[in-house]
PDB file of all heavy atoms in Angstrom:
ATOM      1  N   ASP A   1       0.851  -1.196   0.000  1.00 98.00           N
ATOM      2  CA  ASP A   1       0.000   0.000   0.000  1.00 98.00           C
ATOM      3  C   ASP A   1       0.885   1.244   0.000  1.00 98.00           C
ATOM      4  O   ASP A   1       1.459   1.598   1.033  1.00 98.00           O
ATOM      5  CB  ASP A   1      -0.893  -0.007   1.241  1.00 98.00           C
ATOM      6  CG  ASP A   1      -1.787   1.226   1.336  1.00 98.00           C
ATOM      7  OD1 ASP A   1      -1.739   2.073   0.410  1.00 98.00           O
ATOM      8  OD2 ASP A   1      -2.513   1.354   2.343  1.00 98.00           O
ATOM      9  N   PRO A   2       1.027   1.931  -1.123  1.00 97.00           N
ATOM     10  CA  PRO A   2       1.950   3.076  -1.196  1.00 97.00           C
ATOM     11  C   PRO A   2       1.578   4.237  -0.281  1.00 97.00           C
ATOM     12  O   PRO A   2       2.413   5.100  -0.019  1.00 97.00           O
ATOM     13  CB  PRO A   2       1.881   3.495  -2.670  1.00 97.00           C
ATOM     14  CG  PRO A   2       0.576   2.959  -3.160  1.00 97.00           C
ATOM     15  CD  PRO A   2       0.343   1.687  -2.411  1.00 97.00           C
ATOM     16  N   ASP A   3       0.341   4.242   0.217  1.00 98.00           N
ATOM     17  CA  ASP A   3      -0.073   5.320   1.116  1.00 98.00           C
ATOM     18  C   ASP A   3       0.180   5.008   2.582  1.00 98.00           C
ATOM     19  O   ASP A   3       0.114   5.909   3.426  1.00 98.00           O
ATOM     20  CB  ASP A   3      -1.569   5.609   0.929  1.00 98.00           C
ATOM     21  CG  ASP A   3      -1.877   6.189  -0.443  1.00 98.00           C
ATOM     22  OD1 ASP A   3      -1.018   6.921  -0.969  1.00 98.00           O
ATOM     23  OD2 ASP A   3      -2.960   5.891  -0.982  1.00 98.00           O
ATOM     24  N   ALA A   4       0.464   3.751   2.902  1.00 98.00           N
ATOM     25  CA  ALA A   4       0.667   3.366   4.295  1.00 98.00           C
ATOM     26  C   ALA A   4       1.908   4.049   4.867  1.00 98.00           C
ATOM     27  O   ALA A   4       3.013   3.869   4.347  1.00 98.00           O
ATOM     28  CB  ALA A   4       0.803   1.848   4.406  1.00 98.00           C
ATOM     29  N   TYR A   5       1.706   4.832   5.896  1.00 98.00           N
ATOM     30  CA  TYR A   5       2.759   5.559   6.611  1.00 98.00           C
ATOM     31  C   TYR A   5       3.482   6.601   5.746  1.00 98.00           C
ATOM     32  O   TYR A   5       4.506   7.150   6.173  1.00 98.00           O
ATOM     33  CB  TYR A   5       3.783   4.588   7.229  1.00 98.00           C
ATOM     34  CG  TYR A   5       3.159   3.622   8.203  1.00 98.00           C
ATOM     35  CD1 TYR A   5       2.787   2.337   7.799  1.00 98.00           C
ATOM     36  CD2 TYR A   5       2.911   4.000   9.517  1.00 98.00           C
ATOM     37  CE1 TYR A   5       2.182   1.454   8.680  1.00 98.00           C
ATOM     38  CE2 TYR A   5       2.312   3.119  10.414  1.00 98.00           C
ATOM     39  CZ  TYR A   5       1.941   1.848   9.987  1.00 98.00           C
ATOM     40  OH  TYR A   5       1.346   0.986  10.870  1.00 98.00           O
ATOM     41  N   ALA A   6       2.965   6.885   4.578  1.00 98.00           N
ATOM     42  CA  ALA A   6       3.590   7.905   3.726  1.00 98.00           C
ATOM     43  C   ALA A   6       3.490   9.281   4.385  1.00 98.00           C
ATOM     44  O   ALA A   6       4.448  10.070   4.326  1.00 98.00           O
ATOM     45  CB  ALA A   6       2.931   7.918   2.352  1.00 98.00           C
ATOM     46  N   ASP A   7       2.350   9.577   4.975  1.00 98.00           N
ATOM     47  CA  ASP A   7       2.178  10.883   5.629  1.00 98.00           C
ATOM     48  C   ASP A   7       3.149  11.051   6.784  1.00 98.00           C
ATOM     49  O   ASP A   7       3.660  12.155   7.019  1.00 98.00           O
ATOM     50  CB  ASP A   7       0.741  11.038   6.135  1.00 98.00           C
ATOM     51  CG  ASP A   7      -0.262  11.228   5.009  1.00 98.00           C
ATOM     52  OD1 ASP A   7       0.169  11.533   3.876  1.00 98.00           O
ATOM     53  OD2 ASP A   7      -1.471  11.064   5.261  1.00 98.00           O
ATOM     54  N   GLU A   8       3.413   9.961   7.498  1.00 98.00           N
ATOM     55  CA  GLU A   8       4.345  10.031   8.628  1.00 98.00           C
ATOM     56  C   GLU A   8       5.770  10.331   8.157  1.00 98.00           C
ATOM     57  O   GLU A   8       6.501  11.104   8.797  1.00 98.00           O
ATOM     58  CB  GLU A   8       4.311   8.713   9.418  1.00 98.00           C
ATOM     59  CG  GLU A   8       3.072   8.502  10.256  1.00 98.00           C
ATOM     60  CD  GLU A   8       1.896   7.943   9.469  1.00 98.00           C
ATOM     61  OE1 GLU A   8       1.932   7.935   8.208  1.00 98.00           O
ATOM     62  OE2 GLU A   8       0.923   7.493  10.101  1.00 98.00           O
ATOM     63  N   VAL A   9       6.150   9.737   7.045  1.00 98.00           N
ATOM     64  CA  VAL A   9       7.480  10.000   6.490  1.00 98.00           C
ATOM     65  C   VAL A   9       7.593  11.467   6.075  1.00 98.00           C
ATOM     66  O   VAL A   9       8.574  12.148   6.415  1.00 98.00           O
ATOM     67  CB  VAL A   9       7.762   9.084   5.285  1.00 98.00           C
ATOM     68  CG1 VAL A   9       9.104   9.458   4.626  1.00 98.00           C
ATOM     69  CG2 VAL A   9       7.782   7.624   5.713  1.00 98.00           C
ATOM     70  N   ARG A  10       6.587  11.966   5.362  1.00 98.00           N
ATOM     71  CA  ARG A  10       6.617  13.352   4.901  1.00 98.00           C
ATOM     72  C   ARG A  10       6.592  14.334   6.075  1.00 98.00           C
ATOM     73  O   ARG A  10       7.246  15.389   6.028  1.00 98.00           O
ATOM     74  CB  ARG A  10       5.438  13.619   3.966  1.00 98.00           C
ATOM     75  CG  ARG A  10       5.431  12.781   2.696  1.00 98.00           C
ATOM     76  CD  ARG A  10       6.726  12.917   1.924  1.00 98.00           C
ATOM     77  NE  ARG A  10       6.669  12.218   0.643  1.00 98.00           N
ATOM     78  CZ  ARG A  10       7.734  11.731   0.025  1.00 98.00           C
ATOM     79  NH1 ARG A  10       8.939  11.875   0.574  1.00 98.00           N
ATOM     80  NH2 ARG A  10       7.622  11.115  -1.144  1.00 98.00           N
ATOM     81  N   ALA A  11       5.853  13.979   7.130  1.00 98.00           N
ATOM     82  CA  ALA A  11       5.800  14.851   8.304  1.00 98.00           C
ATOM     83  C   ALA A  11       7.179  14.954   8.961  1.00 98.00           C
ATOM     84  O   ALA A  11       7.610  16.037   9.376  1.00 98.00           O
ATOM     85  CB  ALA A  11       4.777  14.329   9.305  1.00 98.00           C
ATOM     86  N   ASP A  12       7.890  13.831   9.055  1.00 98.00           N
ATOM     87  CA  ASP A  12       9.255  13.847   9.606  1.00 98.00           C
ATOM     88  C   ASP A  12      10.154  14.754   8.771  1.00 98.00           C
ATOM     89  O   ASP A  12      10.963  15.522   9.305  1.00 98.00           O
ATOM     90  CB  ASP A  12       9.839  12.437   9.607  1.00 98.00           C
ATOM     91  CG  ASP A  12       9.424  11.623  10.824  1.00 98.00           C
ATOM     92  OD1 ASP A  12       8.711  12.168  11.688  1.00 98.00           O
ATOM     93  OD2 ASP A  12       9.823  10.441  10.902  1.00 98.00           O
ATOM     94  N   GLU A  13      10.017  14.659   7.458  1.00 97.00           N
ATOM     95  CA  GLU A  13      10.885  15.431   6.575  1.00 97.00           C
ATOM     96  C   GLU A  13      10.583  16.926   6.664  1.00 97.00           C
ATOM     97  O   GLU A  13      11.501  17.751   6.640  1.00 97.00           O
ATOM     98  CB  GLU A  13      10.756  14.909   5.149  1.00 97.00           C
ATOM     99  CG  GLU A  13      11.307  13.489   5.013  1.00 97.00           C
ATOM    100  CD  GLU A  13      11.082  12.854   3.661  1.00 97.00           C
ATOM    101  OE1 GLU A  13      10.152  13.282   2.940  1.00 97.00           O
ATOM    102  OE2 GLU A  13      11.833  11.931   3.316  1.00 97.00           O
ATOM    103  N   ARG A  14       9.304  17.268   6.786  1.00 97.00           N
ATOM    104  CA  ARG A  14       8.954  18.686   6.974  1.00 97.00           C
ATOM    105  C   ARG A  14       9.499  19.204   8.298  1.00 97.00           C
ATOM    106  O   ARG A  14      10.004  20.333   8.393  1.00 97.00           O
ATOM    107  CB  ARG A  14       7.437  18.860   6.925  1.00 97.00           C
ATOM    108  CG  ARG A  14       6.828  18.736   5.543  1.00 97.00           C
ATOM    109  CD  ARG A  14       5.393  19.248   5.528  1.00 97.00           C
ATOM    110  NE  ARG A  14       4.537  18.509   6.456  1.00 97.00           N
ATOM    111  CZ  ARG A  14       3.861  17.407   6.123  1.00 97.00           C
ATOM    112  NH1 ARG A  14       3.951  16.913   4.904  1.00 97.00           N
ATOM    113  NH2 ARG A  14       3.087  16.809   7.008  1.00 97.00           N
ATOM    114  N   GLU A  15       9.406  18.378   9.323  1.00 97.00           N
ATOM    115  CA  GLU A  15       9.883  18.794  10.639  1.00 97.00           C
ATOM    116  C   GLU A  15      11.392  18.987  10.640  1.00 97.00           C
ATOM    117  O   GLU A  15      11.918  19.908  11.272  1.00 97.00           O
ATOM    118  CB  GLU A  15       9.483  17.754  11.681  1.00 97.00           C
ATOM    119  CG  GLU A  15       9.530  18.273  13.100  1.00 97.00           C
ATOM    120  CD  GLU A  15       8.771  17.398  14.063  1.00 97.00           C
ATOM    121  OE1 GLU A  15       8.438  16.247  13.718  1.00 97.00           O
ATOM    122  OE2 GLU A  15       8.505  17.872  15.178  1.00 97.00           O
ATOM    123  N   ALA A  16      12.102  18.132   9.922  1.00 96.00           N
ATOM    124  CA  ALA A  16      13.556  18.280   9.820  1.00 96.00           C
ATOM    125  C   ALA A  16      13.898  19.637   9.220  1.00 96.00           C
ATOM    126  O   ALA A  16      14.806  20.336   9.694  1.00 96.00           O
ATOM    127  CB  ALA A  16      14.140  17.160   8.969  1.00 96.00           C
ATOM    128  N   ALA A  17      13.165  20.024   8.162  1.00 94.00           N
ATOM    129  CA  ALA A  17      13.401  21.322   7.528  1.00 94.00           C
ATOM    130  C   ALA A  17      13.110  22.463   8.499  1.00 94.00           C
ATOM    131  O   ALA A  17      13.859  23.456   8.563  1.00 94.00           O
ATOM    132  CB  ALA A  17      12.536  21.456   6.282  1.00 94.00           C
ATOM    133  N   GLN A  18      12.045  22.336   9.274  1.00 95.00           N
ATOM    134  CA  GLN A  18      11.687  23.380  10.242  1.00 95.00           C
ATOM    135  C   GLN A  18      12.745  23.519  11.334  1.00 95.00           C
ATOM    136  O   GLN A  18      12.981  24.613  11.849  1.00 95.00           O
ATOM    137  CB  GLN A  18      10.328  23.062  10.861  1.00 95.00           C
ATOM    138  CG  GLN A  18       9.160  23.185   9.884  1.00 95.00           C
ATOM    139  CD  GLN A  18       7.883  22.563  10.407  1.00 95.00           C
ATOM    140  OE1 GLN A  18       7.839  22.039  11.524  1.00 95.00           O
ATOM    141  NE2 GLN A  18       6.835  22.602   9.602  1.00 95.00           N
ATOM    142  N   LEU A  19      13.389  22.400  11.671  1.00 93.00           N
ATOM    143  CA  LEU A  19      14.428  22.425  12.707  1.00 93.00           C
ATOM    144  C   LEU A  19      15.779  22.882  12.157  1.00 93.00           C
ATOM    145  O   LEU A  19      16.723  23.058  12.923  1.00 93.00           O
ATOM    146  CB  LEU A  19      14.568  21.039  13.336  1.00 93.00           C
ATOM    147  CG  LEU A  19      13.402  20.579  14.213  1.00 93.00           C
ATOM    148  CD1 LEU A  19      13.540  19.101  14.555  1.00 93.00           C
ATOM    149  CD2 LEU A  19      13.327  21.418  15.481  1.00 93.00           C
ATOM    150  N   GLY A  20      15.859  23.043  10.858  1.00 91.00           N
ATOM    151  CA  GLY A  20      17.097  23.523  10.255  1.00 91.00           C
ATOM    152  C   GLY A  20      18.059  22.436   9.830  1.00 91.00           C
ATOM    153  O   GLY A  20      19.233  22.705   9.566  1.00 91.00           O
ATOM    154  N   ALA A  21      17.586  21.197   9.745  1.00 92.00           N
ATOM    155  CA  ALA A  21      18.448  20.094   9.331  1.00 92.00           C
ATOM    156  C   ALA A  21      18.600  20.102   7.817  1.00 92.00           C
ATOM    157  O   ALA A  21      17.628  19.966   7.085  1.00 92.00           O
ATOM    158  CB  ALA A  21      17.866  18.770   9.788  1.00 92.00           C
ATOM    159  N   THR A  22      19.818  20.272   7.348  1.00 88.00           N
ATOM    160  CA  THR A  22      20.083  20.244   5.913  1.00 88.00           C
ATOM    161  C   THR A  22      20.813  18.971   5.503  1.00 88.00           C
ATOM    162  O   THR A  22      21.050  18.733   4.320  1.00 88.00           O
ATOM    163  CB  THR A  22      20.930  21.461   5.503  1.00 88.00           C
ATOM    164  OG1 THR A  22      22.143  21.473   6.272  1.00 88.00           O
ATOM    165  CG2 THR A  22      20.164  22.748   5.758  1.00 88.00           C
ATOM    166  N   GLY A  23      21.191  18.172   6.477  1.00 91.00           N
ATOM    167  CA  GLY A  23      21.878  16.913   6.217  1.00 91.00           C
ATOM    168  C   GLY A  23      21.672  15.975   7.388  1.00 91.00           C
ATOM    169  O   GLY A  23      21.142  16.371   8.425  1.00 91.00           O
ATOM    170  N   VAL A  24      22.097  14.740   7.210  1.00 96.00           N
ATOM    171  CA  VAL A  24      21.950  13.734   8.255  1.00 96.00           C
ATOM    172  C   VAL A  24      23.263  12.969   8.428  1.00 96.00           C
ATOM    173  O   VAL A  24      24.077  12.938   7.513  1.00 96.00           O
ATOM    174  CB  VAL A  24      20.792  12.756   7.926  1.00 96.00           C
ATOM    175  CG1 VAL A  24      19.456  13.414   8.155  1.00 96.00           C
ATOM    176  CG2 VAL A  24      20.875  12.229   6.499  1.00 96.00           C
ATOM    177  N   PRO A  25      23.454  12.384   9.640  1.00 97.00           N
ATOM    178  CA  PRO A  25      22.510  12.289  10.752  1.00 97.00           C
ATOM    179  C   PRO A  25      22.338  13.619  11.482  1.00 97.00           C
ATOM    180  O   PRO A  25      23.244  14.436  11.532  1.00 97.00           O
ATOM    181  CB  PRO A  25      23.140  11.241  11.672  1.00 97.00           C
ATOM    182  CG  PRO A  25      24.616  11.394  11.438  1.00 97.00           C
ATOM    183  CD  PRO A  25      24.741  11.696   9.967  1.00 97.00           C
ATOM    184  N   PHE A  26      21.150  13.788  12.045  1.00 97.00           N
ATOM    185  CA  PHE A  26      20.821  14.987  12.801  1.00 97.00           C
ATOM    186  C   PHE A  26      20.131  14.532  14.087  1.00 97.00           C
ATOM    187  O   PHE A  26      19.089  13.897  14.045  1.00 97.00           O
ATOM    188  CB  PHE A  26      19.905  15.895  11.985  1.00 97.00           C
ATOM    189  CG  PHE A  26      19.671  17.242  12.603  1.00 97.00           C
ATOM    190  CD1 PHE A  26      20.691  18.182  12.677  1.00 97.00           C
ATOM    191  CD2 PHE A  26      18.424  17.586  13.114  1.00 97.00           C
ATOM    192  CE1 PHE A  26      20.474  19.431  13.247  1.00 97.00           C
ATOM    193  CE2 PHE A  26      18.197  18.829  13.669  1.00 97.00           C
ATOM    194  CZ  PHE A  26      19.229  19.756  13.744  1.00 97.00           C
ATOM    195  N   PHE A  27      20.749  14.838  15.212  1.00 97.00           N
ATOM    196  CA  PHE A  27      20.279  14.378  16.513  1.00 97.00           C
ATOM    197  C   PHE A  27      19.659  15.553  17.259  1.00 97.00           C
ATOM    198  O   PHE A  27      20.270  16.629  17.353  1.00 97.00           O
ATOM    199  CB  PHE A  27      21.439  13.828  17.353  1.00 97.00           C
ATOM    200  CG  PHE A  27      22.166  12.669  16.717  1.00 97.00           C
ATOM    201  CD1 PHE A  27      23.089  12.884  15.694  1.00 97.00           C
ATOM    202  CD2 PHE A  27      21.950  11.363  17.146  1.00 97.00           C
ATOM    203  CE1 PHE A  27      23.770  11.821  15.109  1.00 97.00           C
ATOM    204  CE2 PHE A  27      22.628  10.302  16.558  1.00 97.00           C
ATOM    205  CZ  PHE A  27      23.527  10.526  15.539  1.00 97.00           C
ATOM    206  N   VAL A  28      18.474  15.361  17.805  1.00 97.00           N
ATOM    207  CA  VAL A  28      17.799  16.402  18.580  1.00 97.00           C
ATOM    208  C   VAL A  28      17.508  15.854  19.971  1.00 97.00           C
ATOM    209  O   VAL A  28      16.830  14.826  20.102  1.00 97.00           O
ATOM    210  CB  VAL A  28      16.497  16.858  17.892  1.00 97.00           C
ATOM    211  CG1 VAL A  28      15.767  17.890  18.760  1.00 97.00           C
ATOM    212  CG2 VAL A  28      16.810  17.457  16.521  1.00 97.00           C
TER     213      VAL A  28
END
């Protein structure tokens, strides 16, 4: 199911951008 947990992945990625993460690993 391509939609399963897709929103959760995108939410993590948006949050990383909001926190200023431009690369990984990034520990908070």
Side-chain angles (χ1 to χ4, degrees):
D1 179 2
D3 293 327
Y5 301 96
D7 289 345
E8 287 83 347
V9 175
R10 298 305 186 207
D12 276 358
E13 293 174 337
R14 287 194 300 270
E15 198 163 15
Q18 291 166 1
L19 290 169
T22 57
V24 285
F26 188 69
F27 301 78
V28 177

